Amino acid sequence: MLITQIHIPKTGGQSVRESFDWGITGHMTYLGLKRKELQGDFVTMFRCPFDRAVSIYRYFQQATDVDFTATSPDRRDHLCHQEYIRAWDPGPSVYWERINPEKIRPLTQHFRNQNWWIKGGEVGKDIHLYDFGDFENEVSRMAKDFGLNRKKSGLHTKKTKRKTAQEELSPKAIRRIAEFYAPDIKVMEKAGFPFTVDF
C-alpha cells in the first residue's frame, strides 16, 4: 500500500518521517502531491491551532536570531507577542516583519491554516488525520492502520515540560487565533480531537 505524508509545517512531520524512516518530501499540499501523480493514501498530523500558533512563534523567534531573554532589549516585544499573534493574512504579522523581514518572508507558509494544506482531498477517505497532541499513540495507530514498521521514535515522542498555550497566550490572542484558524477548528471538531484551551 502506498502511503504519502502531507507534512504540514509545525505539526511534527519530521518526527513522523523519523518514526518510519521515510524520505524527505518537504512541505507540499495535497494538491501539489497529487500533481506529482502520487496515488494511494495520504497521512498527516493535525495540531491544535493554539499550540501550533505558539510553536510558530517560537520557531520564528529562533529563525530571526533575536534574543528574548529577560535582560534583552527585545524583552518588551516578547511580552507583547500575544498581541501580535493575530489575524495573519496569511503571512507574517507586523511583529515578524519589523524584526527581520528578509528571514521571515520565505517562511510565511508556516502561517497558513492546516486545512489549506489538505484542501482537495477527503478526510476519512484518501486523507487520514492523526492528532499531534497524542503523538506517540497516534504514530503507533498510524503504523497499525497501514501495517507499517516503526524504525525509531521521533523527537516529539519525548516528554518535555514547557508552557501550555493556555499559559502562553492572552484571551485576546486566543480569540484571534480561533478566528483565523476557524477551518482547522472545524476539522478538529469533526475528527474528535481535543483542544488545549477554551475559546
Side-chain angles (χ1 to χ4, degrees):
M1 181 183 292
L2 179 63
I3 307 296
T4 301
Q5 178 192 11
I6 302 171
H7 183 179
I8 301 171
K10 310 316 296 173
T11 62
Q14 182 176 340
S15 291
V16 172
R17 288 201 311 268
E18 290 173 359
S19 296
F20 300 111
D21 201 20
W22 287 338
I24 297 174
T25 57
H27 297 302
M28 290 188 68
T29 64
Y30 169 83
L31 292 175
L33 292 165
K34 290 294 278 187
R35 279 194 290 271
K36 288 180 170 281
E37 298 185 355
L38 293 170
Q39 303 298 320
D41 290 282
F42 293 80
V43 297
T44 192
M45 282 284 173
F46 224 73
R47 187 172 189 175
C48 174
F50 305 101
D51 295 335
R52 185 167 175 260
V54 172
S55 179
I56 291 169
Y57 164 76
R58 292 192 182 112
Y59 177 75
F60 277 39
Q61 175 182 322
Q62 294 168 359
T64 52
D65 298 322
V66 175
D67 177 13
F68 287 110
T69 58
T71 57
S72 164
D74 296 299
R75 177 65 173 171
R76 182 182 59 80
D77 285 341
H78 173 63
L79 294 175
C80 292
H81 84 266
Q82 54 264 63
E83 299 306 322
Y84 288 102
I85 297 178
R86 64 184 188 209
W88 302 314
D89 202 16
S93 66
V94 173
Y95 179 55
W96 297 115
E97 276 283 336
R98 191 177 75 239
I99 289 176
N100 198 326
E102 293 78 19
K103 286 193 176 183
I104 292 308
R105 287 191 184 118
L107 302 174
T108 55
Q109 65 181 1
H110 287 68
F111 286 106
R112 292 189 182 275
N113 67 58
Q114 296 166 89
N115 194 58
W116 180 84
W117 292 88
I118 62 173
K119 189 167 52 178
E122 188 174 340
V123 174
K125 186 178 179 184
D126 58 346
I127 296 179
H128 305 271
L129 299 185
Y130 296 87
D131 181 14
F132 176 92
D134 191 17
F135 191 89
E136 176 64 21
N137 289 331
E138 289 290 84
V139 171
S140 294
R141 183 167 73 89
M142 189 184 298
K144 184 177 179 183
D145 288 348
F146 296 100
L148 304 171
N149 291 320
R150 289 191 67 177
K151 306 296 182 184
K152 59 182 178 179
S153 293
L155 171 70
H156 290 93
T157 60
K158 297 177 182 177
K159 301 294 182 185
T160 56
K161 178 64 177 169
R162 67 189 330 176
K163 286 184 178 180
T164 65
Q166 186 74 60
E167 295 170 309
E168 191 87 10
L169 299 168
S170 69
K172 187 175 183 180
I174 288 170
R175 287 194 303 272
R176 286 175 168 168
I177 291 166
E179 290 170 7
F180 185 72
Y181 288 123
D184 294 351
I185 288 172
K186 286 182 182 177
V187 171
M188 284 191 66
E189 287 175 337
K190 190 171 181 180
F193 295 168
F195 294 96
T196 57
V197 300
D198 296 322
F199 57 97

